[in-house]
Amino acid sequence: MPDLNRREFIDGLLTKEKQSPEVYDINKDEIFLKYANKSSPLNFKHSRAGLAQYTGAWGERQKIHLLRRIGFGVTPADIAAIGSMTMSQTVDTYINSIVPTPAPPVNYYENIYPDPTGIPLGATWINAAYGDGTVNYYRSLSTKAWWMNNIINQGQSILEKMILFWHNSLVTEANAVGDARLNHKYMMLLRTHALGNYKTLIKELTKDPQMLFYLNGHYNVKNSPDENYGRELQELFTIGKGTNLWNEDDVKEAAKVLTGYRVDLTTLNTSFAPAFHETGNKTFSAFYNNTIIAGQVGAAGENELDDLLNMIFAKDQLVAKFICRKIYRFFIYYDIDATIESTIIDGMAQTFIASNWDIKPVLLQLFKSDHFYDPLTEYCFIRTPMDYYLGMTRSLDVQIPATLSLEDQYRAYYALASLCESAGMNPGDPPNVAGWPAFYQSPQFHEMWINSDTLPKRMKSTDAYFTNNGIYVSSSFKLRCDVLTFVQTLSNAYDPDSIVDDCVKYLLAIGLSASLKTSFKNLLLDGSLLNISWTNAWTDYINNPGNTTFEGIVRTRLRDMLTKLLRMAEHHLC
């Protein structure tokens, strides 16, 4: 939006919020409809840089840009961990690092609702019996908290961001399936294959218990084939939708191939049941070169899945470009014009095909490219709620101490998931099989994250991080930023210019003008015109531990400065 309208836009959203509509509907949101794109932006200057390896400057700006896109938030410790690594070495580290498998989610809820299946406090429930609806509800919260914990502690790896990417691309809805055990199994499937081979991922996804229930594969049997998964496999997971592609007969034939998969809710495993499989030949359209998948009987019927995937992936250009466009929109920008298609998407697709569907070579190519580091690709889209809340929590060094009770640890991590949900992105539960509309709904795309419902919620929760009340977790713990600890993670806590520079660098996507930086510095100086005012106040605090007066002075100034800084529109960009 133009700078001229920024304050009008934010004021309008805050005024709209005071009306407190009972049910929010973005299609009736007057503020959103007024400011959101009515068509794709005209005269947008796309980066014309290509996929050749980047050889330009490799300073803090480029490092922060990379880490902000491939992870959640950036901290000084993240930058320090890169050390003297080159750009290429940094990308290699984040894409090739081996991440330990996290411990599974556990029973944190025993003192709230005793687990009816006998799982004690602190033990995992992932292989337990279902129990009942109430314990499943708490297990679902446990899974979300577990996922948020994994993200906050992401380390030097793109893995957590890729899990979110695949979750948005290969959607299941945990609430729709209603079995937390299956949701955890699905999340582990994404974790296992997020940086592996895409064709293998699709094969395993097809047999995943949660997916089988979500898209009715469990109920897909001969004489009554269900077409849901056969359609989404082609439309959303591999080829895409358009003219002169697959047709309805292809969906029906694919459904027949996929008959016979069953889920055992005791073992949580998938099996192939020949008695439920359609054994006749399956004949596909001219789009698939009139391929006939020969019907097989007995256990051999399961081999038809490989035949189906081989047929679909033989359309390699279509499949590769479809997935590479998704990667581009998720990590770079939503608008793909003819030049981007020919210079970026085509090249990524060729790499994807040449790698026999391995994902890492595509990511390595993209994140080492001139295109990625071109200034026109920086801070050009609005952060998702998960990027916003989890990234901000990491960047502000908000702590969830390991010394907390197990119950409060899980409540704290779930509180982060709840903030994301309130802002339109419920982790584990996209609104439909296509994922979150901000990744595909033209022409608004990412602008859908900001509206009169979500922006005030973002700002209120950000403000709360700098108050004593914080974000409520329990009577004994609140999520909040200890500004005194945070400022000591920066390069020089004694220098107000350095503090402001670092806060802008790590918390905003776009640098501020000198006059704006001065206005924020003045909040630290508290009316003085000299930097020594802050330096003396900080020195008094450091040299007099336990002195509440000196502590209160620096804490108040920091909170005031950070509260106002994070209300800037630039805080929402990536």
Side-chain angles (χ1 to χ4, degrees), residues 393-410:
T393 299
R394 290 191 72 252
S395 295
L396 290 172
D397 196 36
V398 175
Q399 295 295 310
I400 301 175
T403 54
L404 282 179
S405 68
L406 182 65
E407 292 95 327
D408 277 358
Q409 284 187 49
Y410 268 75

Side-chain angles (χ1 to χ4, degrees), residues 58-66 375-376 378-379 505:
W58 179 238
E60 281 192 328
R61 173 174 170 169
Q62 291 77 24
K63 294 174 183 178
I64 289 173
H65 170 57
L66 172 68
L376 288 175
E378 297 177 347
Y379 44 78
K505 185 191 311 176

Side-chain angles (χ1 to χ4, degrees), residues 78-385:
D78 293 333
I79 299 301
I82 293 175
S84 60
M85 285 193 286
T86 65
M87 178 278 295
S88 183
Q89 289 169 337
T90 301
V91 175
D92 286 343
T93 296
Y94 271 80
I95 291 178
N96 293 320
S97 59
I98 298 175
V99 179
T101 301
V106 302
N107 175 350
Y108 77 95
Y109 46 79
E110 186 67 15
N111 295 323
I112 306 169
Y113 185 78
D115 192 301
T117 69
I119 302 299
L121 181 70
T124 187
W125 44 262
I126 63 171
N127 294 314
Y130 174 79
D132 58 30
T134 302
V135 78
N136 184 69
Y137 166 76
Y138 285 111
R139 290 172 177 177
S140 296
L141 303 190
S142 172
T143 304
K144 291 179 188 286
W146 170 81
W147 189 11
M148 300 304 100
N149 185 359
N150 294 338
I151 289 174
I152 292 295
N153 296 288
Q154 64 186 19
Q156 286 185 294
S157 176
I158 194 177
L159 177 60
E160 297 301 332
K161 205 61 170 283
M162 285 302 296
I163 290 170
L164 177 59
F165 168 74
W166 290 125
H167 174 50
N168 180 68
S169 302
L170 309 173
V171 172
T172 66
E173 298 174 61
N175 284 337
V177 175
D179 191 326
R181 303 169 305 165
L182 300 187
N183 188 42
H184 175 263
K185 196 175 182 74
Y186 161 77
M187 293 301 300
M188 288 303 297
L189 171 71
L190 298 186
R191 177 170 291 274
T192 300
H193 297 284
L195 291 165
N197 185 275
Y198 185 60
K199 189 175 179 182
T200 301
L201 171 57
I202 290 298
K203 180 177 179 179
E204 296 306 313
L205 181 79
T206 302
K207 300 185 290 182
D208 176 72
Q210 174 138 303
M211 181 61 79
L212 284 167
F213 276 109
Y214 180 56
L215 291 181
N216 297 342
H218 176 74
Y219 308 104
N220 182 21
V221 296
K222 68 178 182 180
N223 301 325
S224 184
D226 187 287
E227 299 173 8
N228 273 7
Y229 187 80
R231 181 182 308 281
E232 307 309 355
L233 173 63
Q234 297 171 84
E235 180 176 336
L236 296 176
F237 302 163
T238 54
I239 290 172
K241 188 177 182 180
T243 57
N244 300 318
L245 299 178
W246 50 270
N247 60 33
E248 291 301 309
D249 288 336
D250 293 323
V251 172
K252 294 175 182 178
E253 295 302 287
K256 294 176 184 177
V257 169
L258 296 167
T259 51
Y261 288 97
R262 314 293 288 168
V263 177
D264 185 329
L265 288 176
T266 299
T267 65
L268 306 182
N269 291 325
T270 299
S271 62
F272 182 77
F276 293 99
H277 180 62
E278 171 57 60
T279 59
N281 291 347
K282 291 83 179 176
T283 304
F284 290 83
S285 71
F287 172 72
Y288 290 116
N289 301 317
N290 303 115
T291 295
I292 297 175
I293 293 180
Q296 300 187 50
V297 299
E302 189 172 8
N303 295 334
E304 292 182 35
L305 172 58
D306 287 324
D307 295 335
L308 176 65
L309 295 182
N310 288 339
M311 179 189 75
I312 292 174
F313 277 81
K315 295 293 183 180
D316 53 6
Q317 292 292 328
L318 291 170
V319 175
K321 289 180 183 180
F322 181 71
I323 300 304
C324 288
R325 290 186 198 108
K326 283 178 174 272
I327 292 172
Y328 187 89
R329 287 196 169 106
F330 188 88
F331 286 103
I332 307 295
Y333 193 61
Y334 68 83
D335 190 31
I336 299 175
D337 65 9
T339 302
I340 297 298
E341 181 76 16
S342 62
T343 60
I344 307 300
I345 304 303
D346 285 357
M348 292 169 63
Q350 295 313 308
T351 298
F352 204 12
I353 294 167
S355 73
N356 197 28
W357 307 108
D358 282 344
I359 297 157
K360 284 184 179 180
V362 180
L363 301 178
L364 291 167
Q365 179 183 38
L366 180 62
F367 296 123
K368 292 183 180 183
S369 70
D370 276 329
H371 184 74
F372 181 76
Y373 295 98
D374 189 293
L376 288 175
T377 68
E378 297 177 347
Y379 44 78
C380 59
F381 63 74
I382 295 169
R383 288 203 276 178
T384 72

